[in-house]
Amino acid sequence: MFGHAAPPAEDVDTVGDRANVVRLCTVVPPNCAAVFVKVVDRTSTESYKDRLAKYIIEEAERRGDLKPGMTIVAATDGSTGFSLAFACILKKYPLTIVSSNAFDVEKLRSLEGHGALKLDLVYSSSGITPDLIPSMVHRAKELAQGDGYYLADQFHNEDTCIEYETMGRELLNRFPEGIDAFCGAVGGAGIAMGIAKILKSKWPEIFIAMPEPASSPTIRESRPGAHSVEGIGFYPPHPDWKLCNEVCAVPEEEGHDMYRRLVKEECLSVEAPTGFNVAAAIALAKRLGPGKQVVTVAVQYGVKNTSSNWFT
């Protein structure tokens, strides 16, 4: 099914360097800037959300907001849920995840198997709609009332941006010669804003692009719509627009096709929305031309959403 990739993405990581960067070889057309993808660390759940979960919990413990025996409550489409579930197993915190039937069934089933002691679903008959994430956040706040609960609110917790700044520093170390453009879709916007803050502090002229689904132009036109790209497509709660040069639109089918090409042609087993990031990065690479460098990020390894229409 996966065919033969010839050649696969070029591994440009350095032994012991957590930058974990690969250069795309086959999906990038000729006469374009080079496109690099920061792939996720080989961590517990193979998602960059592992860093987020660890940092949120440890910072809450440090402040005294989270104490032994308390239940952690979080709203998530699934990715953060995996990371929180694993962290809660290790730290022995009960966990309640608020999610939705609109997201991939594999994610929901796996969450239950990864230590989410309670899974509370917000039902949607129309898929990922503009009010779905806000409804999930509201439900999580309701469940987290009382002294025995801690709300790990990834959408409004400033700790998320701080932790993702470490990824920006890793890119500084990996590309001492400079990066011309960075591209990252925004959900909560923690990763895009965290990385952009560090890159802009080093290279003020770097071009920062943040793609969103063309079917849900929430940021560009204040016109949210239903779409199929999990984790993004709503107005981000961590915006710092002085860090962003452009919000661009990517058609869902274009992201879908790029995801499949990454698997088949670059041998990159990544989460489907990574195709969305790469499609936007290649559009930037076409504009910049040869001799420039564009960097984007992979979401996580692609083993949790195989029922999605992105996969077929």
Side-chain angles (χ1 to χ4, degrees), residues 85-149:
F86 193 89
C88 285
I89 291 173
L90 294 177
K91 287 181 168 287
K92 304 188 186 309
Y93 288 112
L95 174 66
T96 296
I97 292 293
V98 178
S99 193
S100 173
N101 66 306
F103 304 124
D104 289 319
V105 65
E106 287 93 349
K107 286 186 176 182
L108 301 180
R109 290 174 178 169
S110 296
L111 275 173
E112 291 181 303
H114 279 71
L117 301 185
K118 181 178 180 181
L119 187 61
D120 191 281
L121 295 182
V122 174
Y123 284 87
S124 171
S125 60
S126 304
I128 306 173
T129 59
D131 62 346
L132 179 58
I133 296 296
S135 297
M136 290 163 48
V137 171
H138 178 72
R139 176 60 177 164
K141 289 180 179 178
E142 288 182 335
L143 295 176
Q145 298 296 316
D147 294 337
Y149 296 90

Side-chain angles (χ1 to χ4, degrees), residues 45-107:
T45 72
E46 298 190 328
S47 167
Y48 65 69
K49 295 296 183 74
D50 287 354
R51 302 184 186 210
L52 170 68
K54 179 177 182 290
Y55 193 76
I56 284 179
I57 290 176
E58 291 184 349
E59 283 298 291
E61 290 173 329
R62 183 186 61 79
R63 291 191 301 265
D65 297 335
L66 178 60
K67 300 179 177 64
M70 293 178 68
T71 296
I72 295 175
V73 181
T76 171
D77 66 359
S79 300
T80 302
F82 283 104
S83 300
L84 280 172
F86 193 89
C88 285
I89 291 173
L90 294 177
K91 287 181 168 287
K92 304 188 186 309
Y93 288 112
L95 174 66
T96 296
I97 292 293
V98 178
S99 193
S100 173
N101 66 306
F103 304 124
D104 289 319
V105 65
E106 287 93 349
K107 286 186 176 182

